[in-house]
Amino acid sequence: MADMLLVNGKVRTCDPEGPSAAAVAIRDGRIVAVGDIATARSALPGAAEVDLGGATVIPGLIDPHNHMLATGQMLGEMSLYDVRSIGELQDRVRDAIDGVPAGTWITGRGWDETLLAEGRMPTRHDLDAVAPDHPVMLQRVWNKLVVNSCALRTIGIDASTPDPRSDVNYAGGFDREPDGHPTGIFRDRAKSLVLDGMPHPSGDDLVEALGRACRAYNAVGITTIVDPGLQPEQIDAYHRAAEQDVLTVRSDLLMAAWGFVPAADEPVLEARISGMRDLRAKDSALARLAGVKLLPDGGVGDRTARLLEPYEGEPDNYGVWAIPEAELPDRIRWVHDQGWAMDIHTCGDAAQQVSVRAFAEAQEANSNPDLRHRVHHAYLPTPDTLERMARHRIPAVISTPFIRSLGESFVQSLGPVRADQMMPFRTYLDHGVPLAGSSDSTVADFNPWVGMATAMTRETVTGRVLGADQVLTATEALALYTSGAAFAMGRESDLGRIANGLRADLVVIDADPFGGDVSPEEMMDTKPVGVMLDGQWVFGG
């Protein structure tokens, strides 16, 4: 790996000790000097120089909650995120089956009924009208899917199929027509009735999907992610991708645990987690097993997030617990005592409050500062939650682009007043809570520039502003995906800043959206011209 100098640039370091520079010196994949050109040249005399010509350099972008493997699979499917009517959805399906042999599965993802002109979910009949002879499965942005009649026949689901057991947490179900036949809509854990009956990808398919995702991620400046909620075979795919030099995004991997696995798998979770250290033998600089994900509640848009106050227009609906409330603190303490960091999905304020209290109590009883427990989504922190998160330095990993893509569903579910209070960026920062941004792709766009722009405007896709007092500056938005994200991962000594000793994960852009006034539109349209991982160009350069 040759020594290298990047010179004549605008270097935005995200390091408060030296926020800007003109040059960076790199040796063996690490940064060895940051400053003016003379400083860089004196650190590595005779090193090859790359003249940036005034371009801007920022740290490699980090998404600390991103389902990259699933995104790689999605990139080979039909995208429905921009569909705004059932007719448009039907057109996409019609195009997808063109020339494809009957009986071949057609899959896609991204529809959201709150953004459809009809204001309802699609049904099997909508899909049957355009695809009677192909099994079709289309995932919602989150927590539901729809299939057509051909898919139901292929899997063997009909009016005689029993409903999921009501005594299983977060069991969900499927909607039925008056005669008992499924409408095609499946929700929560009942989605597995469909997904388990579909063809499963091979290990090679998973590695291929990771390569597809890495290329897309590098192109927008992402150099590091955390993929939360993986099964053992998916973790193995990451290790294989690293061994085969397919992986060009540094990946921390979190094992799926309670609430995020099929109910039938929950009895084996303690044994699985106890054996995680054996899997670390395959870890590398690019793929490492880093912790555990739990999911104690659902989502706001589909009214399953567990709340302290009921949903708009449903005085008896407070959402659900995917992990029983009384059981959750014990699960958290057990994983903590096993020595693993946790990333916990908390959309509702009740779920966030219980999780944060349990984190604090676990650290107070058995201190382990190396474990960077955090909550993601973290929509509605209570005053007690804010105080505990600040005192124990518990990061909030905010799904920044959700405001844009899911904001209208938040208003429908919570009403405009509570929707304005969701994801309070400024409040978190003012209280001293560590803050990071993420996409939770596949739920929202993985492009971090979309997330940064959304943090600056808090606009939904309709232009509605949710919580105007919570907007961030461009520099603050960048910190969400650099220094803030590195801290949330527990890797602030290695990533997230341009500073001596840190990894040379860098992004070069031909504009400087952080040097003064910049519109959110300009931020969203930012495109890297070069991306470096460990001192090697993985895009452009």
Side-chain angles (χ1 to χ4, degrees):
M1 192 178 296
D3 294 349
M4 183 187 306
L5 305 181
L6 303 181
V7 300
N8 294 325
K10 298 175 184 175
V11 182
R12 305 295 180 187
T13 68
C14 295
D15 185 353
E17 294 186 7
S20 62
V24 181
I26 299 166
R27 166 171 281 176
D28 296 330
R30 296 274 180 176
I31 297 166
V32 296
V34 182
D36 58 21
I37 295 176
T39 299
R41 285 174 175 162
S42 65
L44 294 176
E49 296 189 4
V50 176
D51 190 334
L52 297 171
T56 300
V57 181
I58 61 173
L61 298 176
I62 302 170
D63 191 329
H65 191 86
N66 182 305
H67 302 274
M68 186 169 78
L69 177 53
T71 303
Q73 294 174 288
M74 177 197 73
L75 291 172
E77 300 175 337
M78 185 181 2
S79 176
L80 304 171
Y81 292 88
D82 59 344
V83 163
R84 294 296 177 260
S85 71
I86 289 174
E88 196 176 337
L89 183 148
Q90 290 173 316
D91 289 341
R92 298 282 176 92
V93 174
R94 186 183 292 110
D95 291 342
I97 67 172
D98 186 29
V100 176
T104 303
W105 277 91
I106 304 297
T107 59
R109 183 187 293 265
W111 60 270
D112 181 351
E113 72 278 7
T114 66
L115 299 178
L116 299 181
E118 295 82 357
R120 65 171 176 85
M121 292 184 285
T123 69
R124 66 184 176 100
H125 301 293
D126 297 316
L127 303 182
D128 292 348
V130 293
D133 301 318
H134 295 75
V136 178
M137 187 281 296
L138 306 178
Q139 300 248 27
R140 187 180 177 270
V141 288
W142 158 254
N143 221 27
K144 296 185 182 76
L145 59 79
V146 63
V147 293
N148 66 349
S149 297
C150 184
L152 292 171
R153 290 193 301 271
T154 300
I155 298 168
I157 298 175
D158 57 26
S160 67
T161 302
D163 291 327
R165 288 171 45 188
S166 60
D167 61 341
V168 174
N169 285 300
Y170 208 45
F174 55 92
D175 296 353
R176 295 182 185 267
E177 297 166 356
D179 64 0
H181 280 87
T183 67
I185 292 291
F186 291 73
R187 64 190 77 232
D188 306 334
R189 277 179 162 153
K191 293 185 300 180
S192 64
L193 293 172
V194 172
L195 299 175
D196 290 349
M198 294 176 59
H200 290 178
S202 67
D204 288 343
D205 291 335
L206 297 179
V207 171
E208 181 182 352
L210 285 170
R212 187 185 303 126
C214 283
R215 291 187 293 274
Y217 283 28
N218 292 156
V220 294
I222 297 175
T223 57
T224 299
I225 58 97
V226 178
D227 196 334
L230 296 166
Q231 298 292 333
E233 66 274 13
Q234 295 171 318
I235 292 171
D236 182 65
Y238 268 98
H239 285 141
R240 288 181 57 203
E243 292 167 1
Q244 296 173 24
D245 294 327
V246 171
L247 207 60
T248 58
V249 173
R250 194 183 316 283
S251 303
D252 274 12
L253 315 174
L254 306 183
M255 182 74 80
W258 293 275
F260 205 66
V261 298
D265 285 1
E266 292 201 340
V268 305
L269 282 176
E270 286 195 2
R272 184 179 291 174
I273 293 168
S274 296
M276 280 172 56
R277 297 197 186 282
D278 294 338
L279 296 177
R280 276 200 154 167
K282 296 183 178 180
D283 280 0
S284 67
L286 290 181
R288 69 167 199 171
L289 194 55
V292 174
K293 173 183 176 175
L294 283 72
L295 186 146
D297 74 340
V300 166
D302 64 353
R303 302 188 174 214
T304 56
R306 185 66 187 189
L307 301 176
L308 295 171
E309 300 294 334
Y311 283 93
E312 185 81 356
E314 292 186 81
D316 296 324
N317 182 11
Y318 291 78
V320 301
W321 289 103
I323 304 171
E325 179 181 8
E327 181 182 310
L328 180 57
D330 292 336
R331 297 296 189 195
I332 289 172
R333 176 62 190 274
W334 184 85
V335 176
H336 173 86
D337 289 346
Q338 293 293 307
W340 291 105
M342 280 168 279
D343 185 357
I344 296 190
H345 163 118
T346 60
C347 286
D349 45 8
Q352 185 175 353
Q353 183 167 274
V354 172
S355 298
V356 167
R357 284 178 179 174
F359 281 160
E361 290 167 1
Q363 288 285 17
E364 289 166 357
N366 181 16
S367 178
N368 189 340
D370 291 336
L371 299 182
R372 193 63 50 78
H373 304 317
R374 62 263 194 190
V375 287
H376 64 268
H377 305 318
Y379 290 159
L380 294 163
T382 65
D384 176 77
T385 297
L386 286 168
E387 189 278 328
R388 291 175 192 267
M389 291 180 72
R391 175 156 45 98
H392 291 275
R393 302 292 287 160
I394 298 169
V397 180
I398 297 289
S399 307
T400 321
F402 279 19
I403 291 176
R404 176 179 172 81
S405 59
L406 303 181
E408 291 302 314
S409 72
F410 297 161
V411 175
Q412 289 190 20
S413 292
L414 299 182
V417 174
R418 272 191 294 175
D420 269 356
Q421 299 166 358
M422 291 184 66
M423 288 188 263
F425 310 142
R426 181 65 56 197
T427 298
Y428 275 123
L429 292 177
D430 288 348
H431 280 78
V433 175
L435 193 62
S438 73
S439 66
D440 197 18
S441 182
T442 59
V443 179
D445 194 334
F446 60 79
N447 186 344
W449 302 98
V450 173
M452 285 184 248
T454 302
M456 294 167 62
T457 66
R458 295 184 62 93
E459 286 186 3
T460 74
V461 290
T462 69
R464 186 201 306 258
V465 176
L466 297 180
D469 60 332
Q470 298 293 323
V471 298
L472 299 182
T473 66
T475 299
E476 289 170 331
L478 175 63
L480 298 180
Y481 291 87
T482 52
S483 55
F487 183 86
M489 298 172 64
R491 302 193 68 171
E492 65 273 20
S493 63
D494 208 32
L495 305 170
R497 293 171 294 129
I498 301 176
N500 288 354
L502 273 66
R503 292 187 179 274
D505 295 356
L506 305 172
V507 178
V508 181
I509 51 180
D510 58 9
D512 183 15
F514 311 105
D517 292 336
V518 61
S519 72
E521 292 76 19
E522 290 173 310
M523 179 71 83
M524 195 174 296
D525 289 339
T526 300
K527 293 179 175 59
V529 295
V531 177
M532 181 179 287
L533 180 75
D534 278 342
Q536 300 284 337
W537 297 110
V538 293
F539 175 79

PDB file of all heavy atoms in Angstrom, residues 10 12 14 56-59 61 449 452 456 473-479 482 509 511-518 523 526:
ATOM      1  N   LYS A  10     -10.149  21.112   0.455  1.00  0.00           N
ATOM      2  CA  LYS A  10     -10.835  21.665   1.621  1.00  0.00           C
ATOM      3  C   LYS A  10     -11.201  20.464   2.495  1.00  0.00           C
ATOM      4  O   LYS A  10     -12.162  19.743   2.199  1.00  0.00           O
ATOM      5  CB  LYS A  10     -12.096  22.420   1.206  1.00  0.00           C
ATOM      6  CG  LYS A  10     -11.839  23.616   0.308  1.00  0.00           C
ATOM      7  CD  LYS A  10     -13.157  24.225  -0.163  1.00  0.00           C
ATOM      8  CE  LYS A  10     -12.914  25.370  -1.133  1.00  0.00           C
ATOM      9  NZ  LYS A  10     -14.198  25.899  -1.689  1.00  0.00           N
ATOM     10  N   ARG A  12     -12.670  18.810   5.585  1.00  0.00           N
ATOM     11  CA  ARG A  12     -13.604  18.971   6.702  1.00  0.00           C
ATOM     12  C   ARG A  12     -13.420  17.760   7.608  1.00  0.00           C
ATOM     13  O   ARG A  12     -13.893  16.672   7.314  1.00  0.00           O
ATOM     14  CB  ARG A  12     -15.046  19.066   6.205  1.00  0.00           C
ATOM     15  CG  ARG A  12     -15.287  20.173   5.173  1.00  0.00           C
ATOM     16  CD  ARG A  12     -15.076  21.547   5.772  1.00  0.00           C
ATOM     17  NE  ARG A  12     -15.293  22.629   4.810  1.00  0.00           N
ATOM     18  CZ  ARG A  12     -15.054  23.895   5.055  1.00  0.00           C
ATOM     19  NH1 ARG A  12     -14.575  24.265   6.238  1.00  0.00           N
ATOM     20  NH2 ARG A  12     -15.263  24.814   4.134  1.00  0.00           N
ATOM     21  N   CYS A  14     -14.322  16.922  10.778  1.00  0.00           N
ATOM     22  CA  CYS A  14     -15.277  16.500  11.818  1.00  0.00           C
ATOM     23  C   CYS A  14     -14.565  16.273  13.150  1.00  0.00           C
ATOM     24  O   CYS A  14     -15.043  15.511  14.002  1.00  0.00           O
ATOM     25  CB  CYS A  14     -16.046  15.247  11.391  1.00  0.00           C
ATOM     26  SG  CYS A  14     -17.105  15.512   9.956  1.00  0.00           S
ATOM     27  N   THR A  56     -13.507  19.061  -1.879  1.00  0.00           N
ATOM     28  CA  THR A  56     -13.721  18.896  -0.446  1.00  0.00           C
ATOM     29  C   THR A  56     -13.514  17.438  -0.049  1.00  0.00           C
ATOM     30  O   THR A  56     -13.925  16.526  -0.764  1.00  0.00           O
ATOM     31  CB  THR A  56     -15.141  19.341  -0.061  1.00  0.00           C
ATOM     32  OG1 THR A  56     -15.298  20.727  -0.401  1.00  0.00           O
ATOM     33  CG2 THR A  56     -15.409  19.157   1.425  1.00  0.00           C
ATOM     34  N   VAL A  57     -12.874  17.231   1.100  1.00  0.00           N
ATOM     35  CA  VAL A  57     -12.678  15.885   1.648  1.00  0.00           C
ATOM     36  C   VAL A  57     -13.377  15.818   3.005  1.00  0.00           C
ATOM     37  O   VAL A  57     -13.217  16.704   3.845  1.00  0.00           O
ATOM     38  CB  VAL A  57     -11.186  15.561   1.822  1.00  0.00           C
ATOM     39  CG1 VAL A  57     -11.011  14.141   2.369  1.00  0.00           C
ATOM     40  CG2 VAL A  57     -10.445  15.717   0.511  1.00  0.00           C
ATOM     41  N   ILE A  58     -14.158  14.767   3.209  1.00  0.00           N
ATOM     42  CA  ILE A  58     -14.825  14.528   4.490  1.00  0.00           C
ATOM     43  C   ILE A  58     -14.531  13.095   4.921  1.00  0.00           C
ATOM     44  O   ILE A  58     -14.076  12.278   4.108  1.00  0.00           O
ATOM     45  CB  ILE A  58     -16.353  14.752   4.391  1.00  0.00           C
ATOM     46  CG1 ILE A  58     -16.982  13.793   3.370  1.00  0.00           C
ATOM     47  CG2 ILE A  58     -16.674  16.208   4.059  1.00  0.00           C
ATOM     48  CD1 ILE A  58     -18.502  13.826   3.328  1.00  0.00           C
ATOM     49  N   PRO A  59     -14.770  12.758   6.180  1.00  0.00           N
ATOM     50  CA  PRO A  59     -14.587  11.365   6.586  1.00  0.00           C
ATOM     51  C   PRO A  59     -15.557  10.452   5.824  1.00  0.00           C
ATOM     52  O   PRO A  59     -16.629  10.879   5.373  1.00  0.00           O
ATOM     53  CB  PRO A  59     -14.929  11.382   8.082  1.00  0.00           C
ATOM     54  CG  PRO A  59     -14.770  12.810   8.505  1.00  0.00           C
ATOM     55  CD  PRO A  59     -15.159  13.625   7.307  1.00  0.00           C
ATOM     56  N   LEU A  61     -18.493   8.122   5.166  1.00  0.00           N
ATOM     57  CA  LEU A  61     -19.807   8.207   5.801  1.00  0.00           C
ATOM     58  C   LEU A  61     -20.185   6.862   6.413  1.00  0.00           C
ATOM     59  O   LEU A  61     -19.924   5.798   5.849  1.00  0.00           O
ATOM     60  CB  LEU A  61     -20.840   8.669   4.786  1.00  0.00           C
ATOM     61  CG  LEU A  61     -20.567  10.064   4.205  1.00  0.00           C
ATOM     62  CD1 LEU A  61     -21.582  10.418   3.125  1.00  0.00           C
ATOM     63  CD2 LEU A  61     -20.566  11.126   5.306  1.00  0.00           C
ATOM     64  N   TRP A 449     -26.908  11.450   1.953  1.00  0.00           N
ATOM     65  CA  TRP A 449     -27.144  12.851   1.623  1.00  0.00           C
ATOM     66  C   TRP A 449     -28.633  13.189   1.715  1.00  0.00           C
ATOM     67  O   TRP A 449     -28.991  14.320   2.045  1.00  0.00           O
ATOM     68  CB  TRP A 449     -26.593  13.161   0.238  1.00  0.00           C
ATOM     69  CG  TRP A 449     -25.128  12.847   0.160  1.00  0.00           C
ATOM     70  CD1 TRP A 449     -24.554  11.716  -0.351  1.00  0.00           C
ATOM     71  CD2 TRP A 449     -24.050  13.652   0.656  1.00  0.00           C
ATOM     72  NE1 TRP A 449     -23.189  11.761  -0.213  1.00  0.00           N
ATOM     73  CE2 TRP A 449     -22.845  12.939   0.401  1.00  0.00           C
ATOM     74  CE3 TRP A 449     -23.976  14.900   1.273  1.00  0.00           C
ATOM     75  CZ2 TRP A 449     -21.595  13.447   0.750  1.00  0.00           C
ATOM     76  CZ3 TRP A 449     -22.732  15.408   1.616  1.00  0.00           C
ATOM     77  CH2 TRP A 449     -21.560  14.684   1.355  1.00  0.00           C
ATOM     78  N   MET A 452     -29.083  13.675   5.456  1.00  0.00           N
ATOM     79  CA  MET A 452     -28.566  14.968   5.906  1.00  0.00           C
ATOM     80  C   MET A 452     -29.501  16.106   5.504  1.00  0.00           C
ATOM     81  O   MET A 452     -29.791  17.011   6.294  1.00  0.00           O
ATOM     82  CB  MET A 452     -27.165  15.202   5.348  1.00  0.00           C
ATOM     83  CG  MET A 452     -26.080  14.395   6.023  1.00  0.00           C
ATOM     84  SD  MET A 452     -24.425  14.822   5.394  1.00  0.00           S
ATOM     85  CE  MET A 452     -23.982  13.312   4.549  1.00  0.00           C
ATOM     86  N   MET A 456     -31.912  18.855   7.832  1.00  0.00           N
ATOM     87  CA  MET A 456     -31.867  20.309   7.693  1.00  0.00           C
ATOM     88  C   MET A 456     -33.236  20.927   7.458  1.00  0.00           C
ATOM     89  O   MET A 456     -33.410  22.138   7.664  1.00  0.00           O
ATOM     90  CB  MET A 456     -30.941  20.671   6.534  1.00  0.00           C
ATOM     91  CG  MET A 456     -29.481  20.313   6.770  1.00  0.00           C
ATOM     92  SD  MET A 456     -28.500  20.400   5.239  1.00  0.00           S
ATOM     93  CE  MET A 456     -28.658  22.150   4.809  1.00  0.00           C
ATOM     94  N   THR A 473     -28.029  22.224  11.329  1.00  0.00           N
ATOM     95  CA  THR A 473     -27.206  22.847  10.296  1.00  0.00           C
ATOM     96  C   THR A 473     -26.565  21.759   9.441  1.00  0.00           C
ATOM     97  O   THR A 473     -26.566  20.570   9.797  1.00  0.00           O
ATOM     98  CB  THR A 473     -26.105  23.701  10.919  1.00  0.00           C
ATOM     99  OG1 THR A 473     -25.189  22.842  11.615  1.00  0.00           O
ATOM    100  CG2 THR A 473     -26.683  24.726  11.891  1.00  0.00           C
ATOM    101  N   ALA A 474     -25.982  22.166   8.319  1.00  0.00           N
ATOM    102  CA  ALA A 474     -25.302  21.201   7.451  1.00  0.00           C
ATOM    103  C   ALA A 474     -24.159  20.506   8.189  1.00  0.00           C
ATOM    104  O   ALA A 474     -23.962  19.289   8.068  1.00  0.00           O
ATOM    105  CB  ALA A 474     -24.773  21.898   6.196  1.00  0.00           C
ATOM    106  N   THR A 475     -23.402  21.252   8.971  1.00  0.00           N
ATOM    107  CA  THR A 475     -22.277  20.659   9.702  1.00  0.00           C
ATOM    108  C   THR A 475     -22.772  19.687  10.767  1.00  0.00           C
ATOM    109  O   THR A 475     -22.182  18.614  10.974  1.00  0.00           O
ATOM    110  CB  THR A 475     -21.422  21.766  10.338  1.00  0.00           C
ATOM    111  OG1 THR A 475     -20.902  22.602   9.293  1.00  0.00           O
ATOM    112  CG2 THR A 475     -20.273  21.184  11.131  1.00  0.00           C
ATOM    113  N   GLU A 476     -23.840  20.035  11.455  1.00  0.00           N
ATOM    114  CA  GLU A 476     -24.412  19.121  12.446  1.00  0.00           C
ATOM    115  C   GLU A 476     -24.954  17.861  11.777  1.00  0.00           C
ATOM    116  O   GLU A 476     -24.828  16.751  12.316  1.00  0.00           O
ATOM    117  CB  GLU A 476     -25.520  19.822  13.228  1.00  0.00           C
ATOM    118  CG  GLU A 476     -25.019  20.888  14.183  1.00  0.00           C
ATOM    119  CD  GLU A 476     -26.137  21.730  14.751  1.00  0.00           C
ATOM    120  OE1 GLU A 476     -27.185  21.913  14.076  1.00  0.00           O
ATOM    121  OE2 GLU A 476     -25.979  22.232  15.887  1.00  0.00           O
ATOM    122  N   ALA A 477     -25.559  18.032  10.605  1.00  0.00           N
ATOM    123  CA  ALA A 477     -26.079  16.868   9.884  1.00  0.00           C
ATOM    124  C   ALA A 477     -24.951  15.938   9.457  1.00  0.00           C
ATOM    125  O   ALA A 477     -25.073  14.710   9.521  1.00  0.00           O
ATOM    126  CB  ALA A 477     -26.883  17.332   8.671  1.00  0.00           C
ATOM    127  N   LEU A 478     -23.817  16.516   9.019  1.00  0.00           N
ATOM    128  CA  LEU A 478     -22.677  15.691   8.650  1.00  0.00           C
ATOM    129  C   LEU A 478     -22.172  14.894   9.843  1.00  0.00           C
ATOM    130  O   LEU A 478     -21.816  13.716   9.706  1.00  0.00           O
ATOM    131  CB  LEU A 478     -21.554  16.569   8.091  1.00  0.00           C
ATOM    132  CG  LEU A 478     -20.237  15.856   7.769  1.00  0.00           C
ATOM    133  CD1 LEU A 478     -20.426  14.817   6.672  1.00  0.00           C
ATOM    134  CD2 LEU A 478     -19.166  16.871   7.371  1.00  0.00           C
ATOM    135  N   ALA A 479     -22.155  15.501  11.021  1.00  0.00           N
ATOM    136  CA  ALA A 479     -21.670  14.807  12.216  1.00  0.00           C
ATOM    137  C   ALA A 479     -22.507  13.576  12.533  1.00  0.00           C
ATOM    138  O   ALA A 479     -21.997  12.600  13.087  1.00  0.00           O
ATOM    139  CB  ALA A 479     -21.659  15.768  13.405  1.00  0.00           C
ATOM    140  N   THR A 482     -20.858  10.794  10.689  1.00  0.00           N
ATOM    141  CA  THR A 482     -19.398  10.651  10.798  1.00  0.00           C
ATOM    142  C   THR A 482     -19.030  10.439  12.263  1.00  0.00           C
ATOM    143  O   THR A 482     -19.106   9.314  12.763  1.00  0.00           O
ATOM    144  CB  THR A 482     -18.686  11.870  10.190  1.00  0.00           C
ATOM    145  OG1 THR A 482     -19.216  13.087  10.765  1.00  0.00           O
ATOM    146  CG2 THR A 482     -18.871  11.923   8.682  1.00  0.00           C
ATOM    147  N   ILE A 509     -15.655  15.185  -2.589  1.00  0.00           N
ATOM    148  CA  ILE A 509     -16.794  15.754  -3.318  1.00  0.00           C
ATOM    149  C   ILE A 509     -16.333  17.046  -3.981  1.00  0.00           C
ATOM    150  O   ILE A 509     -15.453  17.746  -3.466  1.00  0.00           O
ATOM    151  CB  ILE A 509     -18.006  16.005  -2.400  1.00  0.00           C
ATOM    152  CG1 ILE A 509     -17.595  16.791  -1.153  1.00  0.00           C
ATOM    153  CG2 ILE A 509     -18.659  14.695  -2.006  1.00  0.00           C
ATOM    154  CD1 ILE A 509     -18.736  17.081  -0.193  1.00  0.00           C
ATOM    155  N   ALA A 511     -17.922  19.788  -4.478  1.00  0.00           N
ATOM    156  CA  ALA A 511     -18.509  21.009  -3.932  1.00  0.00           C
ATOM    157  C   ALA A 511     -18.202  21.031  -2.432  1.00  0.00           C
ATOM    158  O   ALA A 511     -17.644  20.081  -1.888  1.00  0.00           O
ATOM    159  CB  ALA A 511     -20.015  21.039  -4.173  1.00  0.00           C
ATOM    160  N   ASP A 512     -18.572  22.114  -1.777  1.00  0.00           N
ATOM    161  CA  ASP A 512     -18.351  22.205  -0.329  1.00  0.00           C
ATOM    162  C   ASP A 512     -19.658  22.612   0.346  1.00  0.00           C
ATOM    163  O   ASP A 512     -19.866  23.784   0.662  1.00  0.00           O
ATOM    164  CB  ASP A 512     -17.251  23.206  -0.004  1.00  0.00           C
ATOM    165  CG  ASP A 512     -16.955  23.250   1.486  1.00  0.00           C
ATOM    166  OD1 ASP A 512     -17.387  22.323   2.208  1.00  0.00           O
ATOM    167  OD2 ASP A 512     -16.291  24.195   1.942  1.00  0.00           O
ATOM    168  N   PRO A 513     -20.549  21.651   0.579  1.00  0.00           N
ATOM    169  CA  PRO A 513     -21.835  21.995   1.189  1.00  0.00           C
ATOM    170  C   PRO A 513     -21.730  22.358   2.664  1.00  0.00           C
ATOM    171  O   PRO A 513     -22.740  22.698   3.282  1.00  0.00           O
ATOM    172  CB  PRO A 513     -22.658  20.718   1.003  1.00  0.00           C
ATOM    173  CG  PRO A 513     -21.652  19.627   0.895  1.00  0.00           C
ATOM    174  CD  PRO A 513     -20.454  20.232   0.238  1.00  0.00           C
ATOM    175  N   PHE A 514     -20.518  22.305   3.245  1.00  0.00           N
ATOM    176  CA  PHE A 514     -20.361  22.575   4.665  1.00  0.00           C
ATOM    177  C   PHE A 514     -19.604  23.870   4.933  1.00  0.00           C
ATOM    178  O   PHE A 514     -19.310  24.194   6.079  1.00  0.00           O
ATOM    179  CB  PHE A 514     -19.620  21.404   5.327  1.00  0.00           C
ATOM    180  CG  PHE A 514     -20.207  20.076   4.960  1.00  0.00           C
ATOM    181  CD1 PHE A 514     -19.561  19.242   4.057  1.00  0.00           C
ATOM    182  CD2 PHE A 514     -21.420  19.680   5.478  1.00  0.00           C
ATOM    183  CE1 PHE A 514     -20.110  18.033   3.691  1.00  0.00           C
ATOM    184  CE2 PHE A 514     -21.982  18.465   5.121  1.00  0.00           C
ATOM    185  CZ  PHE A 514     -21.332  17.641   4.227  1.00  0.00           C
ATOM    186  N   GLY A 515     -19.329  24.611   3.878  1.00  0.00           N
ATOM    187  CA  GLY A 515     -18.523  25.807   4.051  1.00  0.00           C
ATOM    188  C   GLY A 515     -19.314  27.089   4.153  1.00  0.00           C
ATOM    189  O   GLY A 515     -18.735  28.162   4.274  1.00  0.00           O
ATOM    190  N   GLY A 516     -20.621  27.033   4.102  1.00  0.00           N
ATOM    191  CA  GLY A 516     -21.436  28.239   4.150  1.00  0.00           C
ATOM    192  C   GLY A 516     -22.869  27.895   3.839  1.00  0.00           C
ATOM    193  O   GLY A 516     -23.345  26.804   4.139  1.00  0.00           O
ATOM    194  N   ASP A 517     -23.571  28.829   3.214  1.00  0.00           N
ATOM    195  CA  ASP A 517     -24.972  28.596   2.892  1.00  0.00           C
ATOM    196  C   ASP A 517     -25.087  27.514   1.826  1.00  0.00           C
ATOM    197  O   ASP A 517     -24.418  27.548   0.794  1.00  0.00           O
ATOM    198  CB  ASP A 517     -25.621  29.885   2.369  1.00  0.00           C
ATOM    199  CG  ASP A 517     -25.740  30.945   3.449  1.00  0.00           C
ATOM    200  OD1 ASP A 517     -25.770  30.560   4.645  1.00  0.00           O
ATOM    201  OD2 ASP A 517     -25.787  32.140   3.107  1.00  0.00           O
ATOM    202  N   VAL A 518     -25.930  26.543   2.074  1.00  0.00           N
ATOM    203  CA  VAL A 518     -26.209  25.487   1.115  1.00  0.00           C
ATOM    204  C   VAL A 518     -27.673  25.112   1.266  1.00  0.00           C
ATOM    205  O   VAL A 518     -28.200  25.050   2.375  1.00  0.00           O
ATOM    206  CB  VAL A 518     -25.293  24.257   1.345  1.00  0.00           C
ATOM    207  CG1 VAL A 518     -25.503  23.661   2.731  1.00  0.00           C
ATOM    208  CG2 VAL A 518     -25.554  23.200   0.296  1.00  0.00           C
ATOM    209  N   MET A 523     -27.685  19.756  -0.968  1.00  0.00           N
ATOM    210  CA  MET A 523     -27.154  18.688  -0.117  1.00  0.00           C
ATOM    211  C   MET A 523     -27.633  17.325  -0.621  1.00  0.00           C
ATOM    212  O   MET A 523     -26.846  16.376  -0.750  1.00  0.00           O
ATOM    213  CB  MET A 523     -27.613  18.905   1.326  1.00  0.00           C
ATOM    214  CG  MET A 523     -27.132  17.828   2.283  1.00  0.00           C
ATOM    215  SD  MET A 523     -25.367  17.911   2.619  1.00  0.00           S
ATOM    216  CE  MET A 523     -25.338  19.154   3.905  1.00  0.00           C
ATOM    217  N   THR A 526     -25.757  15.972  -3.672  1.00  0.00           N
ATOM    218  CA  THR A 526     -24.302  15.813  -3.588  1.00  0.00           C
ATOM    219  C   THR A 526     -23.891  14.403  -4.024  1.00  0.00           C
ATOM    220  O   THR A 526     -24.499  13.414  -3.615  1.00  0.00           O
ATOM    221  CB  THR A 526     -23.808  16.070  -2.156  1.00  0.00           C
ATOM    222  OG1 THR A 526     -24.162  17.398  -1.777  1.00  0.00           O
ATOM    223  CG2 THR A 526     -22.307  15.895  -2.061  1.00  0.00           C
TER     224      THR A 526
END
